[in-house]
Amino acid sequence: MGFTVIIPARLASTRLPNKPLADLGGKPMVVRVAERARASGAARIIVATDHPDILAACAAHGVEAVMTRADHPSGTDRIAEVAHKLGLALDEVVVNLQGDEPLIDPALLAACAARIADGVPMATVAHPISDVAEVFNPNVVKVVLDKAGRALYFSRASIPWHRDAFAATRDALPAGAAPLRHVGLYAYSNAFLQAYPALESSPLETIEALEQLRVLWHGHPIAVHITDSAPPAGVDTPEDLERVRRHYAA
């Protein structure tokens, strides 16, 4: 099944100014991300941006880019605008790849896209957690699934809660426990992507500060692809940027 990758890239970043244009081995970060997407087998890769400097950087490296409004509340709204502008078919699968993931495994994009099916308009990714500290870290988003591999709930809390084991100790995971960490990679049917901006915000989404809970709250299923290990971390800080630069230098 073919799919389109749309990469939202805003120039403004509180922790790392001009992040999409940061140099990685002679190319801007957003171009490196597009190169990873190209290796996934996607039919089309498009950068969705609110700044002409990013548009120009993409053009200089042969990457398709589209200008969007600057006032979108989320990256999902931004890519929905682009999919609409380009007239993508409603049954097209669209992958939302963040513009600060220059080391993402291209196969993960294809695997996430493949989880979109009739009745399942959205998909994402998770991997098993082995470090008990991550289980109790609210910055690590956890997800629990039903027997069909669809999300029941996402939370910053430790889910599922092992009542007896955690009553005894929280220094180690119970034997056989396999909690799942959510990875912020998403795929959508374009029909659902176009409907998404009109979905009312949910109380759960506000409480947990997790946008994907809006989808579950409205009763739409989210399929979850399980990968064996954690994908390389994205670029959020100057330290992350130096780590990725060392990768490209090597």
Side-chain angles (χ1 to χ4, degrees), residues 9-212:
R10 292 177 62 246
L11 196 65
S13 172
T14 52
R15 285 185 287 185
L16 203 58
N18 300 331
K19 180 166 68 170
L21 300 178
D23 182 84
L24 296 180
K27 295 180 182 178
M29 183 186 307
V30 68
V31 171
R32 291 295 191 186
V33 174
E35 289 175 344
R36 301 300 283 174
R38 195 171 289 137
S40 71
R44 192 175 185 183
I45 296 98
I46 305 142
V47 171
T49 185
D50 63 351
H51 202 282
D53 287 357
I54 296 176
L55 198 72
C58 289
H61 292 275
V63 174
E64 184 178 4
V66 174
M67 284 291 288
T68 69
R69 302 197 332 255
D71 61 348
H72 284 300
S74 73
T76 311
D77 296 274
R78 191 176 305 283
I79 71 167
E81 180 192 344
V82 169
H84 177 71
K85 269 187 174 180
L86 297 176
L88 298 186
L90 291 179
D91 62 354
E92 176 76 10
V93 174
V94 178
V95 173
N96 179 356
L97 172 60
Q98 297 305 307
D100 57 6
E101 298 279 356
L103 301 182
I104 191 78
D105 179 2
L108 211 52
L109 278 63
C112 186
R115 293 302 304 271
I116 300 296
D118 288 343
V120 182
M122 182 172 169
T124 190
V125 174
H127 68 84
I129 300 173
S130 57
D131 181 354
V132 71
E134 290 195 346
V135 172
F136 296 103
N137 182 351
N139 295 316
V140 174
V141 178
K142 277 71 67 173
V143 59
V144 289
L145 311 183
D146 67 11
K147 68 177 183 179
R150 298 175 184 179
L152 288 169
Y153 192 65
F154 297 86
S155 183
R156 298 182 182 280
S158 305
I159 56 172
W161 183 261
H162 293 265
R163 186 194 65 173
D164 297 337
F166 287 156
T169 179
R170 297 185 191 178
D171 294 331
L173 287 172
L180 294 172
R181 178 177 187 165
H182 176 235
V183 177
L185 176 70
Y186 297 100
Y188 317 83
S189 72
N190 187 35
F192 181 71
L193 182 61
Q194 296 308 314
Y196 177 89
L199 290 179
E200 177 191 358
S201 181
S202 78
L204 294 174
E205 167 191 6
T206 303
I207 292 167
E208 296 252 22
L210 296 175
E211 184 186 334
Q212 65 271 31

